[in-house]
Structure formats: C-alpha cells, structure tokens
Amino acid sequence: MTLHGNKDALMYKIFATILQGEVQDWFHFMQPYSIRNFSELSLVFTKEYLSYCSIKKKSDYLFNMKNDPEESLCAYIKRFKVEKAKIVECDNNITSSAFRKELPADHLFFEELIMGENLTHADSYALVEMHSL
C-alpha cells in the first residue's frame, strides 16, 4: 500500500528491476537523497545514457552513402553491406536502388546492373565484386 500511495516510490522500484550491468551499478552507487523525484531521476538517467541509444535507420538512409573516388569498389561494397546490416527490415528495392546509384558509369557491368531487372541485390554484389578484383 505504501508503494501504491507514492507513485515515485513505485516507479523507482520498477526502474531498478529492469536495470542491468553498468547501468545497474550506476543506479545503486548514486549518492543517497541526491534525487528528489522520479522526474529528476529520468532527467539524470537520460543525460547520462543518451549517447548509448541507437538511432533506428530506415532503408532510405542508404541513399546518403557515397562512393569515395579514392575508395575501391570492393571497399565501398563492404562498407555498404555493413550499413545495410544495421537497418532492421531493410527494403531490398530501396537497397538495390541506393547501391546502383553510386556505381561508376564506366564500370564493366554498369549497364547489366542498372538494367538487370531479374538481378537480385546479392547477385549485384557478387557480380561487381567478382569483376572488380
């Protein structure tokens, strides 16, 4: 009943049960009475751990990727794959378009990659990698 009557106390208890690892240590080693209410705890926690939050990217983020003229095509493909892997439920049509957008027009298989409607995204990677070595 004490917890029910004091919402901040209930929130502290719930909050403490979901923490793990370094965050749990941070919470338990806070100075006693350094936080007056749950709103203040939320603010302090957010300031402390905001940098740990990952920003969810969408498939169209891949259109921001640029192939550096100094970078080999294989290095670009590896970097592109790493960024694609970070996107949950990445749309393959958008991925293919973003990838093909940065291909050099003088690449041996440029036309086949651009015009190849039946070419999967994985096939595109393989074709470019195979002939870029």
Side-chain angles (χ1 to χ4, degrees), residues 63-74:
F63 281 105
N64 295 326
M65 295 201 59
K66 302 289 182 218
N67 184 7
D68 185 345
E70 303 293 318
E71 178 180 44
S72 74
L73 200 50
C74 284

Side-chain angles (χ1 to χ4, degrees), residues 5 24 27 31 36 42 51 53 72 85-86 89 101 103 123 127:
Q24 189 176 45
F27 181 75
Q31 293 294 322
R36 291 175 288 205
S42 298
S51 63
C53 295
S72 74
K86 294 177 185 176
E89 297 179 10
K101 170 185 83 60
L103 286 178
D123 292 338
L127 188 61

Side-chain angles (χ1 to χ4, degrees), residues 6 40 57 64 88 115 128:
N6 185 347
E40 189 174 328
K57 297 176 183 173
N64 295 326
V88 178
M115 304 305 273
V128 172

Side-chain angles (χ1 to χ4, degrees), residues 75-87:
Y76 171 69
I77 291 170
K78 286 179 186 175
R79 191 166 53 87
F80 191 91
K81 286 179 177 179
V82 166
E83 291 302 315
K84 180 189 179 289
K86 294 177 185 176
I87 300 171

Side-chain angles (χ1 to χ4, degrees), residues 33-47:
Y33 306 107
S34 62
I35 303 291
R36 291 175 288 205
N37 55 45
F38 190 75
S39 294
E40 189 174 328
L41 175 63
S42 298
L43 181 63
V44 170
F45 175 80
T46 303
K47 284 182 181 179

Side-chain angles (χ1 to χ4, degrees), residues 14-128:
I14 293 171
F15 183 73
T17 62
I18 63 168
L19 301 178
Q20 296 176 358
E22 180 185 326
V23 181
Q24 189 176 45
D25 293 342
W26 169 83
F27 181 75
H28 289 294
F29 288 110
M30 288 176 62
Q31 293 294 322
Y33 306 107
S34 62
I35 303 291
R36 291 175 288 205
N37 55 45
F38 190 75
S39 294
E40 189 174 328
L41 175 63
S42 298
L43 181 63
V44 170
F45 175 80
T46 303
K47 284 182 181 179
E48 184 74 22
Y49 290 98
L50 186 60
S51 63
Y52 291 90
C53 295
S54 60
I55 299 171
K56 292 182 181 177
K57 297 176 183 173
K58 297 187 184 212
S59 300
D60 58 357
Y61 162 77
L62 295 172
F63 281 105
N64 295 326
M65 295 201 59
K66 302 289 182 218
N67 184 7
D68 185 345
E70 303 293 318
E71 178 180 44
S72 74
L73 200 50
C74 284
Y76 171 69
I77 291 170
K78 286 179 186 175
R79 191 166 53 87
F80 191 91
K81 286 179 177 179
V82 166
E83 291 302 315
K84 180 189 179 289
K86 294 177 185 176
I87 300 171
V88 178
E89 297 179 10
C90 193
D91 183 298
N92 283 331
N93 291 329
I94 292 175
T95 302
S96 293
S97 296
F99 174 70
R100 292 174 182 162
K101 170 185 83 60
E102 284 299 309
L103 286 178
D106 62 344
H107 188 275
L108 183 61
F109 292 97
F110 178 80
E111 187 175 326
E112 185 177 345
L113 288 167
I114 298 299
M115 304 305 273
E117 293 178 22
N118 296 329
L119 208 57
T120 67
H121 191 60
D123 292 338
S124 297
Y125 286 150
L127 188 61
V128 172

